[in-house]
Amino acid sequence: MDSRFTAQDNLLNQGPRPPRLPTPGERRRLRELWGATLEEVADALNAEPEVMAAWEAGRHTADPADTYAYLRLLNAFREQLPTAYEPDWAALRKPPASPAPASAAPGVPTQADAAREQAKPPRRGASWTQEEKDRLRAEFLAGAQVPQLAESLGRSEKAVRWVLHRLGLISFPADDVPAPRTGPGKPKAYTVADKRRIHPNAYQPWSAEDEQRLAERCAQGASLADLSREFGRNEGGIASRLIKIKADGPAADGAWGYGGESPGADL
């Protein structure tokens, strides 16, 4: 037999070798040239962003199938990127200021009105973006007060204090917690059994698994009403537990103003 065939058979019998990725610097360079974020690449490879960051930096290895997928994406970046790129500087230049439009008839919105409407801060109750949190931190450290921050961001003062607390910039915002009743209260018109007919898990201790699932559902955008039905507890108990575990999401943002519930009412 031809010795070349024997050498080929030996090479083939060894099986495919693990793929070799470019250097960490080249991985990052290709991604940034393509204009993709780490989160987008992680999503394309079905990986967590933290794992993707370590993978790009060369601190993580994966099985051959995942590595081939990553190598395929990087090669696609390299092959499809233009060899030379010159920005359209004319399009990027700021257009000259246009003259002020003629005043419209009363009651008729102008283009300036539409622009101001689009520039309004997000409505209250919306989930906080990382950009808003960074802006809140910067303005607070620059000396802005809570009322100014609330007006600037279109949020309630309670929501601003709560996010400042979660950012570690202020202590627990106790001013937002209703003071305990000092006088004799009215006798309860219900029993635990009555409560559990409506909310099966009322007054049950919270497990670590339930708290983790509650935080995840809140981050996904579930409302207090959704969480109340899902966990079998009343909305006041859900709101106070969201505060206690420092959850993030629309339901957590609205938890402080919910019906006067105190953070200890873990129903």
Side-chain angles (χ1 to χ4, degrees):
M1 178 183 293
D2 192 322
S3 61
R4 291 174 298 177
F5 295 161
T6 303
Q8 292 174 15
D9 290 341
N10 290 337
L11 181 60
L12 291 172
N13 289 335
Q14 294 177 18
R17 296 173 182 174
R20 297 185 62 182
L21 292 169
T23 63
E26 178 67 3
R27 301 173 203 177
R28 178 175 179 178
R29 186 186 74 85
L30 290 171
R31 174 179 62 78
E32 291 181 344
L33 279 176
W34 191 260
T37 64
L38 264 173
E39 289 75 11
E40 290 172 327
V41 174
D43 185 61
L45 296 174
N46 195 25
E48 295 295 329
E50 296 80 4
V51 174
M52 193 67 245
W55 203 359
E56 182 180 84
R59 299 191 304 271
H60 171 77
T61 57
D63 60 39
D66 289 341
T67 306
Y68 272 120
Y70 189 16
L71 183 60
R72 177 178 180 272
L73 182 62
L74 292 174
N75 285 339
F77 286 165
R78 182 185 292 110
E79 292 169 3
Q80 297 183 41
L81 283 168
T83 55
Y85 172 70
E86 179 68 21
D88 185 354
W89 297 111
L92 293 175
R93 291 192 187 98
K94 188 176 180 181
S98 57
S103 57
V108 178
T110 64
Q111 290 184 350
D113 295 331
R116 282 193 295 270
E117 185 67 25
Q118 291 180 355
K120 283 184 178 179
R123 60 184 177 82
R124 298 186 181 190
S127 182
W128 286 72
T129 65
Q130 188 59 47
E131 182 181 356
E132 287 179 296
K133 293 176 183 178
D134 293 342
R135 176 182 167 190
L136 175 65
R137 179 195 297 274
E139 293 187 6
F140 179 77
L141 293 177
Q145 300 299 311
V146 169
Q148 298 171 309
L149 295 169
E151 182 178 358
S152 171
L153 293 166
R155 303 280 184 170
S156 68
E157 294 185 19
K158 290 182 179 180
V160 168
R161 289 193 186 97
W162 176 232
V163 175
L164 286 172
H165 167 62
R166 285 189 289 182
L167 293 174
L169 297 174
I170 63 174
S171 59
F172 194 83
D175 291 344
D176 291 336
V177 181
R181 296 175 180 174
T182 55
K186 295 181 180 179
K188 290 185 177 179
Y190 58 85
T191 64
V192 173
D194 293 333
K195 274 281 189 180
R196 287 181 177 167
R197 289 192 186 97
I198 303 173
H199 306 290
N201 294 323
Y203 297 99
Q204 294 283 2
W206 284 82
S207 67
E209 293 77 8
D210 284 342
E211 288 184 340
Q212 181 178 355
R213 187 160 61 91
L214 178 67
E216 291 173 352
R217 292 286 294 117
C218 181
Q220 292 168 2
S223 66
L224 280 173
D226 294 334
L227 297 174
S228 174
R229 288 191 295 272
E230 183 173 339
F231 287 86
R233 299 174 184 267
N234 69 24
E235 293 186 16
I238 294 291
S240 59
R241 183 55 55 164
L242 290 172
I243 293 172
K244 186 171 183 178
I245 66 176
K246 300 181 180 180
D248 193 9
D253 293 337
W256 278 99
Y258 182 82
E261 290 283 352
S262 68
D266 297 332
L267 305 185

